[in-house]
Each structure stands twice: as structure tokens, then as C-alpha cells.
Amino acid sequence: MNYKKSLRKLKRYHYNWFNLTLLIILFPIAFLLSAFCAIVFVPYLFKYPRKGKYRGLDFNTYEHLMHDLESKDMTNFNLTKDQIKEFYIGPIQEQISALMVKNKNSKKWVIGLHGFKRNKYMGLRQIYHFYDQGYNLIAFDAFAHGLTYGKYSDFGLTNAKVLDEVIKWVKATYDVEEIGVLGTSMGATSSLFFAKKYYKENKVDWLIADCPFSQAVPQIRFFLQKYMVLPWWMMSLGINWNFRRYARASIKEVNLLKGYESMNDLKVLFIHGKKDDFIMYDNSVVMYHLKHNSENEKLSQINLYDNARHSSCMHKNMEDYMNTTIAFAKR
């Protein structure tokens, strides 16, 4: 695990004197390609299923979860439909759609955050193994996903605020001895951004970030280059402008390459698959290094899986994933 090598890989998706010079020379072409990509990829970024029928299934339901578990051969899921309570948190204009699985008399909680275009049942999928350890479970539809308020996603920016509200609600409603967070993909980035912005005033006991990205704009540049097979700087003009146009938010704020001093006493487990070709595992390597260096007492860990692609660490390594996450929460 080489921090400097991983950082260099992430910096490939930042401007430097070389690509800026080429951009100036080829600006008309870059402008047209960027406009084309905006037209093509805006539907991908802002139009996705939130409820109703999707590929023959009712989206964001227990049945949808069962289908997903079967497709991933996750056969040890131990929660029945009757155990899961769906409910809302917050005022009508900013309602958060959530679900809960209560453990009788338990004062321990874990909150699951799903990834981009997913839903609260996918958040539950990532944390269900904590139920047998005596934890109460909560998962929620992210901002602008499922039945939660918001029209356009902003890549985890507002979702960090939503997580803050959910944690406050749990603390205000129940007697809490322990509360942890496990996020996947965009949910992992949201949870880390929550820690950066809100943790000091609204503390949790531990946080697990499974395949997070460190910055929103470079992550979209990586995505564009992967699918368009062109240098990202030739087709990514105005990314933040497009998000501001739709989501009314500056996704440049989603930056986890700094700010770890605000959470230096929070233990964080970074998890990533080395075969992830959607969010490079180098993101987790760099963030772990920055987090580790900010700590007076070394609290955080990183676990990289050789065989896992994006969001697949759990179902590719079920026993080890469950044991590792549970042991981390308990230590």
C-alpha cells in the first residue's frame, strides 16, 4: 500500500500546467465535447428510478432486496419483512424515508447508507449482520433518492446533512449507548463528509466507509474518461456548473483530501476492492493515510480485498467482511 503512488493516481484527474496548455490550444474541441457529454450524461446523473416498477420489480421494497440478495448469492440474510418498519423522519417539507429493525432492549445502533441510485433496502443489506450482534438497524433513502426529499442528487453533499438529522433523531428518540455508521460508495463519502462537517457537534462511536470517493468533481472526470475513452480534460468543462444548474449545489465542496483534524478522535475503517474500476481503491488508500496521520491515538484501519469490484467487497468475502466490520465496531 503506497500512499504517494495512490495520490499520484488521484492527481491525474486534476488540472496541471500540461493539460491546461493543451486545453487552451484545443479549447473549441473541448467545449463541444463537454457540451455533448453534458447532454449524454445528465440523464444518467439525474434521472433514475426512485419508486414503482423497475425491471419487473417494485423498486425500494423488501421484494427488491430479496432479488438483489439472490443475485449476489447472499443466503444468510436473517430478517423477515415483518421485522422491518418503514417510517419518516423530519418535517413534511424535508421528510427522510427510513426503515428500522429493533432489537429488544438494545441501546446499540448502526445506520446504513446506500450508494448512488440505490435505496434504503440496499443500505440495510450492508448492515444486517449487526442484528445478531444485538444492534438496532436503521437505513434511509439518501437525499433525492427513493422517498426522501430532494429532486436532484448532489453526490453526497446534502446527504451528509440528512445523515446528521437521522443521528440526531435517534439520539433524541432513544436511549443510546453506542451508534455507528456504515456507508457504501456515495454513502461512504456522505458518511465521511458528515464526519468532517458535523461530527464534533453530533458524535458517533465508529464509522465504516466501503469504497468511497475522495472528491466529487475528479470522480466524475474519472467516470467520463472510463466510458468515453478520451482524456477527461477534453470533455469535462462545466461539471460543477451543470450540478449547480440542476441541484443548486456546488459539488466542489465534497472534498475529503483535507479536514481530518475535525474527526481525529473518530475511528474509521476504510474498505475497498482492488478490482474496483468505478471508484479507484487509491481513494481509500489516500484517505486512510490522511486520517491516520491526523490521529494522536492510532484508531483507524484499512482493509483492501484483492477480488472485489465496486460495492462487492461484502458479497465476495462474506465471512471475512462480517467478522472484520463487527470486530472493528467492538474494539
Side-chain angles (χ1 to χ4, degrees):
M1 190 173 65
N2 187 317
Y3 158 71
K4 290 184 178 179
K5 182 179 179 181
S6 290
L7 183 60
R8 285 196 298 270
K9 287 184 179 179
L10 297 189
K11 292 296 185 182
R12 292 175 186 172
Y13 300 94
H14 291 242
Y15 284 110
N16 56 44
W17 67 268
F18 179 73
N19 56 39
L20 275 173
T21 301
L22 290 176
L23 176 61
I24 292 169
I25 295 170
L26 300 172
F27 183 79
I29 297 173
F31 179 84
L32 291 173
L33 285 172
S34 296
F36 172 76
C37 286
I39 294 170
V40 171
F41 285 106
V42 159
Y44 172 84
L45 292 170
F46 296 119
K47 295 181 181 179
Y48 44 82
R50 296 181 63 168
K51 61 180 180 179
K53 289 289 184 181
Y54 178 68
R55 296 181 179 176
L57 294 168
D58 284 327
F59 194 71
N60 203 2
T61 62
Y62 184 81
E63 289 70 28
H64 178 227
L65 172 60
M66 291 298 101
H67 175 78
D68 182 79
L69 292 168
E70 182 180 356
S71 70
K72 293 176 171 59
D73 197 28
M74 297 172 70
T75 58
N76 61 348
F77 187 78
N78 56 353
L79 304 174
T80 66
K81 187 175 183 178
D82 292 339
Q83 290 177 276
I84 302 171
K85 174 190 174 184
E86 291 197 28
F87 66 107
Y88 286 94
I89 296 170
I92 292 177
Q93 65 272 23
E94 291 189 351
Q95 279 196 327
I96 302 162
S97 177
L99 54 82
M100 179 193 305
V101 182
K102 284 283 272 112
N103 241 311
K104 188 176 181 180
N105 300 322
S106 174
K107 297 179 181 180
K108 301 190 299 182
W109 294 81
V110 57
I111 300 173
L113 286 80
H114 64 80
F116 186 51
K117 297 189 177 184
R118 301 298 186 261
N119 60 74
K120 56 185 174 286
Y121 280 91
M122 300 299 104
L124 180 64
R125 184 192 69 189
Q126 296 300 120
I127 60 173
Y128 73 88
H129 56 294
F130 281 91
Y131 182 77
D132 285 343
Q133 304 300 314
Y135 285 83
N136 302 302
L137 313 179
I138 284 187
F140 61 91
D141 287 332
F143 174 75
H145 285 70
L147 303 179
T148 289
Y149 77 98
K151 187 174 182 181
Y152 296 114
S153 173
D154 51 22
F155 253 47
L157 178 66
T158 305
N159 202 38
K161 174 179 176 289
V162 173
L163 173 59
D164 184 54
E165 293 299 322
V166 171
I167 294 169
K168 286 178 179 176
W169 179 86
V170 174
K171 290 179 178 179
T173 309
Y174 296 96
D175 186 7
V176 176
E177 289 182 354
E178 176 189 339
I179 186 165
V181 176
L182 194 163
T184 304
S185 191
M186 184 190 73
T189 297
S190 296
S191 65
L192 290 166
F193 197 60
F194 151 82
K196 178 180 174 178
K197 289 195 68 175
Y198 303 106
Y199 167 72
K200 284 296 184 184
E201 289 73 38
N202 189 17
K203 292 204 171 186
V204 295
D205 294 284
W206 49 268
L207 191 154
I208 300 172
D210 184 339
C211 61
F213 56 85
S214 55
Q215 293 178 290
V217 172
Q219 176 57 35
I220 295 173
R221 291 170 181 164
F222 172 82
F223 172 84
L224 284 172
Q225 183 163 303
K226 170 182 166 61
Y227 287 97
M228 297 297 288
V229 200
L230 286 170
W232 61 266
W233 49 266
M234 289 191 67
M235 51 188 169
S236 62
L237 294 173
I239 287 175
N240 197 52
W241 181 84
N242 273 316
F243 264 88
R244 290 177 70 92
R245 177 184 168 199
Y246 284 90
R248 303 290 188 264
S250 174
I251 61 170
K252 283 184 177 180
E253 292 182 38
V254 183
N255 181 357
L256 294 166
L257 294 182
K258 56 184 179 180
Y260 288 92
E261 65 280 354
S262 64
M263 52 168 148
N264 59 1
D265 61 336
L266 172 64
K267 63 179 184 180
V268 178
L269 170 61
F270 294 89
I271 297 175
H272 222 122
K274 286 189 173 182
K275 290 186 176 180
D276 193 335
D277 59 357
F278 191 78
I279 297 175
M280 294 186 295
Y281 78 89
D282 302 279
N283 285 272
S284 287
V285 172
V286 170
M287 286 189 284
Y288 166 73
H289 176 87
L290 296 172
K291 177 69 173 73
H292 186 75
N293 280 359
S294 76
E295 298 172 343
N296 296 321
E297 179 186 355
K298 302 308 178 185
L299 303 169
S300 297
Q301 296 177 199
I302 186 169
N303 197 6
L304 302 175
Y305 288 101
D306 292 331
N307 63 339
R309 295 186 181 278
H310 188 60
S311 300
S312 66
C313 289
M314 185 181 192
H315 68 266
K316 290 288 186 180
N317 307 273
M318 285 290 293
E319 184 176 357
D320 187 78
Y321 188 100
M322 289 181 170
N323 290 339
T324 298
T325 52
I326 289 168
F328 180 79
K330 290 184 174 183
R331 74 172 177 81

